[in-house]
């Protein structure tokens, strides 16, 4: 049995726009999504903002009724068996809200444990264990209002593990965390993965999806546009190399010349303080470098490197192509 | 622990924690002020105004009326905070994502306020005895105690309904104040109901507090439990009616939110 099965799931929101001339606007948040997640797998849902990730997770966690299609979690239909599903899953929607800020960390966990019907003798041992797992040992007596954002987000992880669910839904769990906080968070996720939990993780950080996921579905505009292992997805761009060129105030005409080169697949530019990094996707590998340099003649150029494509390059090609 | 004691324990724990989590007057100083000084202020105001208007012949009428009415501070404001607070805390998705019994969650939110409101009334009556010449020597105190608890319970029933409204609209503080101040008049705390226009008497009759205040006045004047028994049964009925209406609204809110996608998640 698969831990999660999603069959042609669809969700349309009806939003009222305009105060005076009331018209109803339909937003297709999830158009037609199907996938399966095996037991113990860490499955990544990757996609740009507004792709429909959160909407999908809400339907799978019984918080939103699908407009069409169906899904089962732990073999139970998420609409008909909602209460059964709730006992078997844990979930987090990224961000620091959703906790009782006036209560201590421990009391938040006690409250949610009571809602999940966890036996008091069990939660008494489990709460300190979970606080330690998420790196909040010794902070359980403090009011959550005084926690940092990262601490609150980690407390959410502890909250979601109270009833020891087998399946976890983590919707952008690292959103808004600083790099150190995000790394600590990823270590917690790795810990859960080693405990054989099934995890559905949504994120729009590529390296995060790449580092953690067994398989990834890339979704865009409410549809799955690719689904594979991270290395499988990178094969989509295995014909490509990326030439990274550091420039300082490269002119628009030079960039145009670069784009016009026949072997340049795509050009994207990352701005970094005074300099820019030009990312040239090409099928010619290192041989492309002299021509790239010619196109940039007269510009101030720094470091030049040629590298293998990353998941991000695959993503840019896939999402860019579908857009 | 067997299942029954376990469930009682969990209900109790959830009740206390949600009270602390969602009730605004958490800091001891603010809480004490609301519990001790606020009743005193309200009683002084109405008792002196009322005594002045009636040449001091009916002081007890105002003392008892306002002391019992104090229960609406917990019953209306407190309960509304406790039900509606999840909206501000952003905890609704996490709450509705649990398999917890909704009936228990809902009524658990009012539970502590029944105790809290009862204490508030006792404090207010103490002020009445100490400062305003209230005489309880002829009163069946256990019966009065029971009346206070029942009245607080029924007021909390209305509070539960108001709390549900606060899940639907952000403007509930206005509605709360309106209800609280309306109760000052409609409940008969400060006016004899028989002197009100007929339509107002009709409203009085479907509100909590009205019968509780009437029963308390009868008991203070030397009445017995059997005299007030019918009033108390109706008071319980009114509390249950509002509480159940609130519960159905709560259940409806959850279903609607899942269908329309309005269960905010940040
Ligand atoms: N409650 C809602 N009402 C109306 N539209 C919504 C609602 N929630 C999300 N949407 C819209 O649905 C689309 C998908 O949103 P979402 O699932 O949050 O995407 P993601 O999580 O991938 O960023 C977006 O266009 C968003 O504006
Ligand atoms: Mg999202």
């Amino acid at each position: 049995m698969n831990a999660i099965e999603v069959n042609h799931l669809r969700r349309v929101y009806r939003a009222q726009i305009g105060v005076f001339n009331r018209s109803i606007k339909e937003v297709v948040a999830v158009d037609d999504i199907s996938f399966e997640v095996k037991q113990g797998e860490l499955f990544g849902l990757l996609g740009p903002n507004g792709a429909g990730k959160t909407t999908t997770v809400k339907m799978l966690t019984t918080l939103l009724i699908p407009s069409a299609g169906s899904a089962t979690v732990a073999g139970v239909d998420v609409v008909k068996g909602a209460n059964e599903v709730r006992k078997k899953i844990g979930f987090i929607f990224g961000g620091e809200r959703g906790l009782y800020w006036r209560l201590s960390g421990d009391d938040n966990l006690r409250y949610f444990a009571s809602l999940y019907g966890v036996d008091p003798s069990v939660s008494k041992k489990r709460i300190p264990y979970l606080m330690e797992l998420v790196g909040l040992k010794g902070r359980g007596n403090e009011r959550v209002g005084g926690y940092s954002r990262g601490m609150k987000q980690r407390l959410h992880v502890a909250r979601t593990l109270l009833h020891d669910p087998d399946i976890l839904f983590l919707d952008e769990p690292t959103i808004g965390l600083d790099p150190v906080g995000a790394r600590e968070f990823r270590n917690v996720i790795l810990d859960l993965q080693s405990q054989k939990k099934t995890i559905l993780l949504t994120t729009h950080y590529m390296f995060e999806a790449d580092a953690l996921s067994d398989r990834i579905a890339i979704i865009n505009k409410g549809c799955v546009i690719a689904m594979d292992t991270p290395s499988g997805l990178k094969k989509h761009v295995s014909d490509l190399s990326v030439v990274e060129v550091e420039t300082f105030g490269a002119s628009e005409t030079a960039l145009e010349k670069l784009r016009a080169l026949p072997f340049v697949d795509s050009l994207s530019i990352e701005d970094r303080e005074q300099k820019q990094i030009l990312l040239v996707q090409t099928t010619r590998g290192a041989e492309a470098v002299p021509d790239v340099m010619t196109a940039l003649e007269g510009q101030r150029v720094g470091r030049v490197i040629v590298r293998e494509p990353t998941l991000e390059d695959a993503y840019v090609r896939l999402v860019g192509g579908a857009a | 622990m067997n299942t029954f004691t376990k469930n009682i324990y969990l209900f109790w724990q959830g009740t206390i924690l949600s009270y602390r989590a969602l009730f605004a007057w958490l800091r001891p100083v603010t809480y004490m002020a609301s519990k001790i000084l606020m009743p005193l202020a309200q009683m002084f105001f109405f008792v002196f105004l009322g005594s002045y208007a009636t040449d001091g012949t009916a002081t007890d009428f105002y003392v008892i009326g306002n002391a019992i009415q104090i229960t609406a501070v917990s019953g209306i404001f407190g309960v509304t905070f406790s039900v509606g607070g999840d909206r501000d805390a952003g905890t609704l998705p996490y709450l509705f994502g649990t398999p917890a019994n909704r009936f228990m969650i809902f009524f658990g939110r009012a539970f502590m306020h029944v105790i809290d409101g009862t204490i508030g009334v006792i404090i207010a009556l103490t002020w009445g005895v100490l400062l305003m010449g209230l005489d309880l020597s002829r009163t069946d105190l256990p019966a009065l105690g029971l009346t206070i608890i029942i009245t607080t319970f029924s007021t909390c029933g209305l509070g539960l309904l108001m709390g549900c409204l606060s899940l639907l609209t952000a403007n509930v503080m206005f509605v709360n104040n309106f209800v609280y101040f309306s109760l000052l008049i409609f409940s008969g705390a400060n006016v004899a109901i028989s002197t009100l226009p007929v339509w107002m008497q009709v409203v009085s009759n479907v509100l909590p507090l009205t019968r509780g205040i009437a029963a308390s006045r009868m008991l203070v004047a030397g009445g017995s439990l059997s005299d007030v028994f019918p009033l108390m049964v109706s008071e319980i009925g009114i509390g249950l009616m509002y509480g159940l209406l609130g519960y159905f609204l709560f259940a409806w809110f959850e279903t609607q939110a899942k269908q329309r996608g309005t269960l905010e998640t940040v």
Side-chain angles (χ1 to χ4, degrees):
Chain A
M1 187 184 67
N2 286 314
I4 304 171
E5 283 184 16
V6 179
N7 291 309
H8 301 290
L9 213 51
R10 177 179 173 86
R11 172 69 209 204
V12 181
Y13 289 112
R14 255 170 266 278
Q16 211 173 55
I17 49 168
V19 183
F20 299 109
N21 100 59
R22 295 200 166 173
S23 54
I24 304 282
K25 191 179 146 231
E26 292 207 336
V27 181
V28 182
V30 170
D31 192 357
D32 182 350
I33 285 188
S34 302
F35 61 85
E36 278 137 39
V37 181
K38 291 193 272 293
Q39 246 153 39
E41 194 173 29
L42 198 155
F43 189 83
L45 269 189
L46 191 60
N49 281 330
K53 303 182 294 293
T54 298
T55 303
T56 305
V57 173
K58 280 189 196 164
M59 289 191 279
L60 297 179
T61 53
T62 78
L63 297 173
L64 187 66
I65 307 283
S67 307
S70 66
T72 63
V73 170
V76 184
D77 186 278
V78 293
V79 178
K80 291 185 210 114
N83 234 31
E84 240 0 81
V85 170
R86 288 176 190 141
K87 291 176 192 163
K88 295 178 174 157
I89 64 168
F91 62 92
I92 298 174
F93 293 102
E96 51 182 352
R97 276 159 57 79
L99 296 161
Y100 297 103
W101 288 19
R102 289 190 195 144
L103 294 182
S104 68
D106 282 348
D107 278 345
N108 265 280
L109 298 187
R110 278 187 202 111
Y111 183 59
F112 280 102
S114 80
L115 293 176
Y116 278 100
V118 179
D119 202 287
S121 57
V122 174
S123 53
K124 207 169 171 178
K125 290 190 213 100
R126 201 155 170 80
I127 289 172
Y129 160 75
L130 290 174
M131 289 299 269
E132 184 166 357
L133 178 81
V134 300
L136 289 174
K137 193 181 175 186
R139 309 295 296 266
N141 288 326
E142 293 169 36
R143 277 171 55 161
V144 168
Y147 279 14
S148 71
R149 190 181 172 111
M151 290 166 72
K152 287 181 191 127
Q153 286 178 227
R154 279 180 280 140
L155 184 63
H156 262 305
V157 177
R159 176 192 55 71
T160 209
L161 295 171
L162 284 164
H163 53 302
D164 199 16
D166 292 328
I167 304 172
L168 296 173
F169 296 85
L170 311 178
D171 187 26
E172 310 227 15
T174 55
I175 196 157
L177 295 184
D178 59 55
V180 178
R183 180 186 301 165
E184 284 171 359
F185 203 102
R186 282 194 292 277
N187 287 336
V188 173
I189 296 178
L190 287 172
D191 230 12
L192 297 174
Q193 201 178 12
S194 69
Q195 293 177 27
K196 300 280 178 280
K197 304 270 184 207
T198 304
I199 301 175
L200 187 140
L201 170 78
T202 85
T203 178
H204 61 249
Y205 301 121
M206 308 298 147
F207 67 95
E208 189 167 285
D210 193 0
L212 297 173
S213 311
D214 298 315
R215 279 191 310 139
I216 293 174
I218 295 182
I219 68 173
N220 193 28
K221 298 184 174 166
C223 292
V224 177
I225 55 173
M227 181 154 51
D228 210 331
T229 57
S231 55
L233 286 172
K234 282 179 229 169
K235 285 207 189 94
H236 282 278
V237 283
S238 59
D239 53 327
L240 285 186
S241 315
V242 179
V243 182
E244 279 190 24
V245 187
E246 201 176 61
T247 60
F248 301 87
S251 71
E252 214 28 69
T253 42
L255 296 179
E256 277 313 312
K257 256 199 243 166
L258 203 52
R259 274 198 193 95
L261 291 175
F263 55 84
V264 170
D265 220 55
S266 85
L267 168 69
S268 45
I269 301 151
E270 281 175 17
D271 275 306
R272 306 242 177 101
E273 318 225 322
Q274 297 102 350
K275 61 186 177 187
Q276 302 94 41
I277 311 286
L278 308 183
L279 301 171
V280 183
Q281 290 193 352
T282 172
T283 45
R284 282 226 334 235
E287 290 167 33
V289 174
D291 288 326
V292 168
M293 296 319 283
T294 313
L296 289 173
E297 211 161 55
Q299 311 294 323
R300 267 188 70 200
V301 172
R303 217 151 46 102
V304 178
I305 49 176
V306 180
R307 63 162 171 82
E308 296 277 286
T310 61
L311 184 62
E312 179 157 3
D313 297 308
Y315 176 87
V316 166
R317 190 185 240 190
L318 286 161
V319 173
Chain B
M1 259 192 242
N2 67 32
T3 322
F4 183 71
T5 34
K6 182 190 119 184
N7 285 337
I8 297 276
Y9 179 86
L10 289 177
F11 176 75
W12 180 240
Q13 189 179 43
T15 296
I16 292 187
L17 287 171
S18 74
Y19 175 77
R20 284 177 40 216
L22 293 162
F23 191 43
W25 296 316
L26 183 73
R27 277 172 303 155
V29 181
T30 345
Y31 178 78
M32 293 310 268
S34 81
K35 233 41 253 169
I36 294 175
L37 298 178
M38 195 283 204
L40 187 62
Q42 180 180 329
M43 284 171 74
F44 264 128
F45 181 76
F46 284 103
V47 169
F48 283 114
L49 197 68
S51 302
Y52 180 76
T54 59
D55 292 324
T57 54
T59 309
D60 278 5
F61 179 88
Y62 298 100
V63 173
I64 301 165
N66 286 288
I68 304 289
Q69 146 94 17
I70 289 299
T71 204
V73 176
S74 303
I76 305 294
F77 291 109
V79 174
T80 307
F81 274 128
S82 280
V83 175
D86 280 298
R87 183 190 156 111
D88 302 324
T91 38
L92 284 172
Y94 297 110
L95 195 64
F96 288 137
T98 71
N101 183 318
R102 305 304 194 243
F103 197 80
M104 292 299 185
I105 295 183
F106 187 65
F107 287 99
R109 291 291 156 88
F111 201 87
M112 288 300 290
H113 292 289
V114 177
I115 297 171
D116 204 16
T118 304
I119 294 172
V121 175
I122 291 170
I123 292 173
L125 284 173
T126 309
W127 284 129
V129 171
L130 293 179
L131 300 176
M132 295 164 209
L134 182 65
D135 176 10
L136 297 181
S137 60
R138 287 180 298 152
T139 310
D140 179 348
L141 287 178
L144 182 62
L146 189 62
T147 307
I148 294 169
I149 293 173
I150 289 173
T151 311
T152 307
F153 162 84
S154 69
T155 310
C156 287
L158 179 59
L160 282 172
L161 181 61
M162 308 297 306
C164 277
L165 294 180
S166 78
L167 290 175
L168 304 171
T169 156
N171 263 330
V172 83
M173 220 35 217
F174 167 77
V175 184
N176 271 340
N177 281 311
F178 180 76
V179 170
Y180 186 84
F181 290 109
S182 304
L183 282 173
L184 282 174
I185 298 166
F186 284 96
S187 67
N190 292 297
V191 225
I193 291 181
S194 56
T195 64
L196 293 173
V198 175
W199 73 267
M200 287 179 80
Q201 292 193 28
V202 172
V203 176
S204 281
N205 268 310
V206 294
L207 288 178
L209 271 177
T210 310
R211 290 169 181 78
I213 289 176
S216 303
R217 285 187 180 130
M218 285 164 73
L219 288 169
V220 172
S224 69
L225 185 60
S226 57
D227 294 334
V228 298
F229 190 75
L231 288 174
M232 281 159 62
V233 172
S234 323
E235 184 78 21
I236 293 177
I238 285 179
L240 285 177
M241 178 187 78
Y242 284 112
L244 287 176
L245 271 179
Y247 174 69
F248 290 127
L249 191 62
F250 189 67
W252 180 82
F253 170 81
E254 183 180 353
T255 322
Q256 280 294 304
K258 282 172 61 177
Q259 255 153 27
R260 293 164 53 172
T262 46
L263 204 65
E264 314 132 303
T265 50
V266 188

